[in-house]
Amino acid sequence: MKLREIVRLLFVASLVLFIIPACVKEGPPGLDGADGADGADGSDGADGHVTCLVCHGGDNIEAIQGQFAMSVHKSGVNAVAYAGARASCAACHSHEGFVQYAEFGEVFGNITSPNAWECGTCHGLHDSFDSDDYALRLTDPVAPIFNDAITMDLQGNSNLCANCHQSRRAEPNETNPGEETFYISSTHYGPHHGAQANVVAGVGFAEIDGSSPYPEAGSNFHLNQASCVGCHMAEFSSGQGGHSWIPNVDACNDCHDANLEDYNYGGVQTEMHESLAELRDLLLDRGVIAGNEEDGFHPVVGTYPMIEARAFFNWVGLEEDRSLGVHNPKYVRALLNNSIEALKAE
């Protein structure tokens, strides 16, 4: 091939490479076409006000505050002033202590300025602004202080109450098994001033042998067919229920198909009141307790036969339960009857 032909071919190839890009270059955009049809609307999101309105809607918040103002928890009587500042007691005797306990499992030190309970003591408030925002802080079954190897399950929201309303110590024969005597070391000795969870669950008291059988733990009607919340926080009426925590007699009547004006269903409270008085007098006669009805009774520091110490533990714990047997009639009846029998048999 001659040199001239080669040059001609190269020229043609270069021209093609130049022309082709020029032919495919985009021109200016045309006019916009008509809009397409709108798509389907998405589902509505959650109303941002719904969570707030559960508590703050209408008269609800005022009603709750009014009920709460009736409760001993609100006033802190005999609780905050007495023990709210002490680290060992603050978990159940002050707002600040309970919040620490609920969040961290312990109270880190004395509370400088303890306060009585408020909404945020039991409820975790205004953190997430969703349906969990006002949930109770503690609802899991409780490992009791007197024996953390077992579990007390008062079921759901009622477990919140069990964190505080429980015995702080085991009964004498559990702490000193097999011994014939027991030393009561303090005028404050006993389960604690309000071991209602133990009574409801049917555990933690001195189950002295006797003619009255003990029901199986956890079999209590008021544990399985009722609850702390169901009785103490039933719909508020006639100054009872709701956030006052005063048991509502209407709830008793609904469950028992009765027409009660008080809590003495079947005469249980009358029976237990008499048994508690009888057991108290037996303990007075033996010098285990001292005092009178006007000023109250307390244990006398000293060493006593084990059976007397166990009977005292039952008496003071059930006296300070304050339900006169209503919380668990079969269990309370057995504890009192067998304690009385044992002391009479000494």
Side-chain angles (χ1 to χ4, degrees), residues 270-286:
T270 299
E271 175 192 348
M272 301 307 168
H273 175 75
E274 293 173 352
S275 294
L276 281 166
E278 182 177 3
L279 181 55
R280 178 202 65 203
D281 290 344
L282 289 169
L283 293 167
L284 276 169
D285 291 343
R286 288 156 176 77

Side-chain angles (χ1 to χ4, degrees), residues 152-156 158-159 197 199-202 215-231 255-256 326-331:
M152 288 194 302
D153 188 359
L154 270 58
Q155 305 186 21
S158 294
N159 283 322
V199 179
V200 172
E216 181 180 356
S219 64
N220 178 21
F221 179 90
H222 283 150
L223 172 61
N224 295 294
Q225 276 75 43
S227 66
C228 304
V229 172
C231 297
C255 283
H256 293 286
V326 170
H327 283 145
N328 193 342
K330 293 180 180 178
Y331 186 56

Side-chain angles (χ1 to χ4, degrees), residues 31-307:
L31 298 174
D32 291 342
D35 291 343
D38 291 342
D41 291 341
S43 57
D44 291 340
D47 189 336
H49 298 291
V50 169
T51 300
C52 303
L53 293 175
V54 170
C55 289
H56 294 280
D59 297 329
N60 192 35
I61 189 66
E62 287 81 8
I64 291 173
Q65 290 173 339
Q67 297 160 19
F68 186 42
M70 299 170 60
S71 73
V72 176
H73 289 79
K74 171 64 175 176
S75 69
V77 173
N78 300 328
V80 178
Y82 173 69
R86 289 181 291 184
S88 60
C89 303
C92 291
H93 282 262
S94 72
H95 162 72
E96 294 80 5
F98 187 80
V99 172
Q100 275 195 37
Y101 171 75
E103 291 297 314
F104 304 108
E106 62 179 310
V107 176
F108 298 115
N110 292 341
I111 305 298
T112 303
S113 182
N115 290 287
W117 298 269
E118 55 190 63
C119 299
T121 308
C122 298
H123 297 274
L125 295 177
H126 304 147
D127 290 327
S128 60
F129 293 94
D130 60 18
S131 60
D132 293 328
D133 201 37
Y134 47 88
L136 295 179
R137 292 185 182 275
L138 298 171
T139 58
D140 291 338
V142 175
I145 296 170
F146 79 91
N147 181 1
D148 60 10
I150 68 171
T151 299
M152 288 194 302
D153 188 359
L154 270 58
Q155 305 186 21
N157 291 346
S158 294
N159 283 322
L160 178 78
C161 312
N163 280 276
C164 287
H165 289 277
Q166 59 165 306
S167 174
R168 264 50 182 175
R169 56 179 57 86
E171 61 105 342
N173 199 46
E174 290 292 326
T175 59
N176 298 59
E179 296 187 13
E180 294 184 358
T181 61
F182 184 84
Y183 179 64
I184 294 179
S185 59
S186 167
T187 56
H188 297 285
Y189 176 76
H192 197 58
H193 308 294
Q196 288 88 355
N198 298 78
V199 179
V200 172
V203 296
F205 281 81
E207 296 186 7
I208 299 169
D209 292 338
S211 62
S212 297
Y214 294 99
E216 181 180 356
S219 64
N220 178 21
F221 179 90
H222 283 150
L223 172 61
N224 295 294
Q225 276 75 43
S227 66
C228 304
V229 172
C231 297
H232 288 262
M233 297 190 71
E235 184 176 356
F236 185 80
S237 63
S238 303
Q240 298 174 333
H243 279 79
S244 75
W245 291 298
I246 300 169
N248 195 323
V249 175
D250 290 342
C252 304
N253 288 328
D254 289 343
C255 283
H256 293 286
D257 192 23
N259 189 28
L260 301 170
E261 294 183 356
D262 54 30
Y263 313 114
N264 196 20
Y265 178 71
V268 166
Q269 288 191 310
T270 299
E271 175 192 348
M272 301 307 168
H273 175 75
E274 293 173 352
S275 294
L276 281 166
E278 182 177 3
L279 181 55
R280 178 202 65 203
D281 290 344
L282 289 169
L283 293 167
L284 276 169
D285 291 343
R286 288 156 176 77
V288 180
I289 63 174
N292 54 64
E293 292 191 12
E294 181 177 351
D295 299 321
F297 299 90
H298 58 82
V300 178
V301 173
T303 300
Y304 301 94
M306 178 61 79
I307 196 66

